[in-house]
Each structure stands twice: as structure tokens, then as C-alpha cells.
Amino acid sequence: MERTSNGGMLYHEVQEANLCAVHCVNTVLQGPFFSEFDLAAVASDLDEKERQVMLEGAAAADFFSEESHNVSLGGDFSIQVLQKALEVWDLQVIPLNCPDAEPAQIDPELENAFICHLHDHWFCIRKVSGEWYNFDSLLAAPQHLSKFYLSAFLDSLKGSGWSIFIVKGSFPQECPMSSSSEASNGFGQWLCPEDAERILKETSSTQSSSSSSAVNNRSSDNVDQQRPYQALSREEVRTFSEMEDDDLKAAIAASLLDASAAGANLGAVGITSQREDTEKQK
């Protein structure tokens, strides 16, 4: 049975540019453990290993490419990157439609976390303190899911073409929290379930107004700058994300240019060290 994590607080990250893969991994772990540069280093390491395999093949010249197959300049990471990142924490990611996942197909309540992907968006569904939540970064706060609705929600996602993966293993139980509810990365925060419910209700009320009104409200003094997208719909979030793409592309490109296999390994060592520090604080 899952133990209470962080005193029952929920860790949520709201959408920043196109960093949904980062948000997804961190909400699976329930803490700000990874940055976009950490995932870019993992992607670079995977690319290097794939190139080595192709160079050793007879048809290497036909398939060799300098382009990354694990991260786009827009910031979309492959499932292999998410898998490698979570392996640092001894977590395994497997497709929901594989034979080994048959028990979860019958009763998803048996699991602790799911990762969902469609086109360029990632998000996680996570059990925290015995309750299920949708941690989609396009939501202003985690959305509570009843046990009955969990199964229906997953079926709906599958029917809409989403790829769903199960995350298995021993999840981190505690993440060091700052004195405030805000995470150091600027777009993450810890919320109690009651605050999450309140924020979603407020957001729903705001979204009932026109899109133009929501955009104007975003730039007003009344908007919480720590949660820039909480009053916006999914479509509006994507619009604002596109406005930030240039900065993100430059950061990802620079990271990929500088990263090497050795650099990626150093990044993994740093993450492992962070994990050890976390374990000491339990």
C-alpha cells in the first residue's frame, strides 16, 4: 500500500513553454527533480548510443543523421528519455497495452501512476495518499479522479488515440520542500487537496468568460504570476507556449550542442546524488 507522500501535499507544475515532458516526469516523482537540461542531457546520451549502433551496422550511411531522435527543438522528448529519467529512481515504464500490463487493463486502481502522450503533449495521472489525480500541466491544479472515473478516463484517452504507459516501482516518498509552497523551478508548487479543488473551481469560473477576456485578465495586476496559465484553456495555453518557443528552442539547442555522452553521465550522477540527499532526509 502506498504511504502518504509529503504529508498528503500534491506537487503540480503548470505549463511552461513546451516543457510538458519535464512537468510529467516531475509530477510522477512528486517533486522538482528534473529540469529541461537534465532531460536534454539524457536525450543526447541516447542519441550518441543510437549513432554508435548505426555506425556499426552495414547500412549506417543510409540511416546516420545528426538530428536528435529523442528531443525536438520545440522541446518534445521521446518516451525513451522519460524512461531513462525515471530509471534513475528505479522506476519502470511499460505500455498499458502490453501483455505484462493485463492486470492494470482490468483494474487500473492496482497501479500508482500512468503517463499519457498524444502528439506533443505529456501528462501523468498519479495516486497520492490513496487518491487519484490528473496532473496535466495544462490544468491550474491537480484534478481529483474518483476510482470509478479513473477507469472511464483511461478508456476515453485510449479511444482518442492517446498512448498510455504504466510507471512501476518504489516511488520517492518525500521531497524536500521550501518554506513557501513554490518550487525552486518557478512553475511548480505544492498544494493541499482543498486548495487544488478551490483553484480548479475558480479557473472554471474564469474560463466561462470569452477567450479575449481571459487573455486580458492574464496581463492584469490580479493574475498570479507564479501560475501564468491557470485562467486559460488548453488552446490558449498552446498559443502562449508558441510565443515562448524561440527561447526554449535556443536553450534546448545550446544544451544539445554542449552535451556529450560524458556530460550526460555527469548529469545522471548529479541526479543520483540528489536522490541520495533526499533519501538521507527521510
Side-chain angles (χ1 to χ4, degrees):
M1 180 179 294
E2 185 199 28
R3 293 179 294 165
T4 300
S5 175
N6 282 327
M9 298 290 281
L10 308 173
Y11 179 75
H12 184 62
E13 294 187 358
V14 294
Q15 188 77 17
E16 178 77 10
N18 286 335
L19 299 181
C20 54
V22 178
H23 306 321
C24 178
V25 170
N26 284 339
T27 49
V28 165
L29 296 171
Q30 282 296 282
F33 293 100
F34 287 89
S35 70
E36 62 270 35
F37 302 106
D38 295 325
L39 294 194
V42 174
S44 178
D45 187 36
L46 287 171
D47 286 336
E48 181 61 27
K49 291 177 179 177
E50 290 171 3
R51 291 189 186 104
Q52 290 299 322
V53 171
M54 289 188 290
L55 285 172
E56 294 170 1
D62 295 332
F63 297 98
F64 185 79
S65 172
E66 289 294 335
E67 294 182 0
S68 173
H69 296 286
N70 291 289
V71 58
S72 69
L73 289 179
D76 186 31
F77 292 91
S78 69
I79 182 60
Q80 288 78 14
V81 172
L82 275 68
Q83 286 176 319
K84 285 294 182 182
L86 292 173
E87 281 179 7
V88 174
W89 291 87
D90 296 326
L91 295 172
Q92 181 185 14
V93 179
I94 63 173
L96 181 59
N97 60 0
C98 76
D100 291 341
E102 185 175 354
Q105 297 169 16
I106 298 172
D107 186 4
E109 170 64 19
L110 297 173
E111 305 301 327
N112 286 309
F114 296 92
I115 287 176
C116 308
H117 179 253
L118 181 65
H119 301 313
D120 60 349
H121 190 59
W122 295 94
F123 75 94
C124 96
I125 302 170
R126 178 77 151 84
K127 184 193 291 182
V128 179
S129 301
E131 297 293 328
W132 284 95
Y133 294 89
N134 174 7
F135 285 94
D136 192 335
S137 56
L138 296 181
L139 295 173
Q143 179 186 46
H144 181 260
L145 304 175
S146 68
K147 295 178 181 179
F148 171 78
Y149 186 66
L150 170 67
S151 181
F153 186 42
L154 290 172
D155 287 341
S156 176
L157 291 173
K158 287 186 288 185
S160 298
W162 287 78
S163 297
I164 303 176
F165 305 85
I166 308 169
V167 184
K168 289 181 171 291
S170 298
F171 294 79
Q173 293 301 317
E174 297 292 336
C175 175
M177 297 172 60
S178 62
S179 57
S180 69
S181 63
E182 303 293 340
S184 58
N185 57 23
F187 41 76
Q189 60 182 334
W190 281 271
L191 298 166
C192 67
E194 294 77 15
D195 283 342
E197 182 179 6
R198 173 183 56 79
I199 290 171
L200 286 177
K201 287 182 178 179
E202 292 174 354
T203 303
S204 177
S205 175
T206 303
Q207 288 180 342
S208 63
S209 61
S210 65
S211 296
S212 59
S213 176
V215 172
N216 290 335
N217 287 340
R218 181 177 183 269
S219 60
S220 72
D221 293 337
N222 294 328
V223 172
D224 181 354
Q225 296 300 321
Q226 294 296 328
R227 297 194 294 271
Y229 299 115
Q230 71 177 41
L232 303 181
S233 67
R234 178 182 291 260
E235 291 74 18
E236 290 163 344
V237 168
R238 292 194 182 280
T239 298
F240 283 109
S241 293
E242 291 173 0
M243 295 168 61
E244 300 176 358
D245 274 353
D246 289 341
D247 290 339
L248 175 62
K249 289 178 181 178
I252 293 294
S255 179
L256 288 175
L257 182 63
D258 294 338
S260 63
N265 290 335
L266 286 174
V269 170
I271 296 168
T272 303
S273 176
Q274 180 184 10
R275 177 187 177 184
E276 292 174 351
D277 292 341
T278 301
E279 294 292 337
K280 291 178 181 178
Q281 297 184 38
K282 289 185 178 180

